[in-house]
Amino acid sequence: VEDLDHFRQDDGTYYLIIAGNSRHQAFDELIDEGRLPQDQILPTKMADVSSVWDIISLQRADNIHSAPPKERNAMATVEAYEWGRKQGNWDSVSEFVNTSNIDGKKISTKVMHEMRHFANLPGAIRTFILGGAIPYSVGIEMGKGASEIRRYYAVEAGYSSYDLAKMTPEDKEKIDSLTTLALNVDCVRM
């Protein structure tokens, strides 16, 4: 939400594009190219949402031609989980899976843990997997290993584990960089 403060209205609401970003971008490009008038009206649907799950549901409903890839679904689900945890909606993955569903289907604890492993990967590696060069299932396994790689480099740097509270920002950045490098090497091997 902090990233979206500039969208906040005086009444505390936010006006965000949560579906149709590509259409909106294309519309803006047509206006910039002079192919549509500056005052062209873009038909929209307004939706009153009160949670991240509302947003995810609207986005998924808008993708009528194809479901989002597993990788994107995983990231959205993990981000929604983390947001809800910070809001006090749940304290654990177990609580989350017992109260949440996607498209009317319950998320299993196993699937949620797999999604979290994928989200645990450095962004550059997730982007590589999103490009389709490596299957999502391999990304899950790489995500499981990422925690161990981070722990290894943390111990090498003199820490007892990968404990962010005890780590300097410089050491965290160095450990994350070494982890990304190790995972990049794995990607190249694959």
Side-chain angles (χ1 to χ4, degrees), residues 106-138:
K106 284 280 189 196
I107 305 166
S108 73
T109 302
K110 178 184 181 242
V111 168
M112 185 61 193
H113 284 301
E114 289 174 347
M115 290 176 170
R116 292 182 74 208
H117 287 306
F118 178 73
N120 188 37
L121 288 169
I125 303 300
R126 284 194 314 265
T127 300
F128 191 69
I129 294 166
L130 282 165
I134 295 177
Y136 173 66
S137 58
V138 174

Side-chain angles (χ1 to χ4, degrees), residues 53 56-61 67-68 73 101-106:
W53 280 114
I56 290 172
S57 296
L58 286 167
Q59 288 174 336
R60 291 178 65 82
N73 186 42
N101 63 60
I102 296 176
D103 296 338
K105 299 175 194 162
K106 284 280 189 196

Side-chain angles (χ1 to χ4, degrees), residues 23-71:
R23 287 185 299 268
H24 184 266
Q25 220 171 11
F27 209 80
D28 282 348
E29 287 173 17
L30 289 170
I31 290 171
D32 290 345
E33 292 170 6
R35 295 169 61 192
L36 286 176
Q38 289 286 333
D39 61 350
Q40 181 70 39
I41 295 173
L42 176 63
T44 61
K45 293 181 198 173
M46 299 292 284
D48 186 20
V49 297
S50 59
S51 74
V52 172
W53 280 114
D54 291 344
I55 293 171
I56 290 172
S57 296
L58 286 167
Q59 288 174 336
R60 291 178 65 82
D62 199 57
N63 283 322
I64 57 174
H65 299 295
S66 63
K70 291 178 197 175
E71 299 87 350

Side-chain angles (χ1 to χ4, degrees), residues 133-148:
I134 295 177
Y136 173 66
S137 58
V138 174
I140 291 168
E141 296 306 315
M142 289 176 75
K144 290 177 185 176
S147 297
E148 294 305 315

Side-chain angles (χ1 to χ4, degrees), residues 145-163 167 171-183 185:
S147 297
E148 294 305 315
I149 294 169
R150 280 188 187 97
R151 261 194 284 286
Y152 169 79
Y153 286 120
V155 169
E156 286 289 309
Y159 296 95
S160 60
S161 69
Y162 186 69
D163 185 354
M167 220 172 265
D171 282 347
K172 182 195 175 307
E173 185 177 324
K174 179 181 176 185
I175 290 166
D176 287 346
S177 178
L178 289 168
T179 301
T180 300
L181 180 62
L183 290 167
V185 169

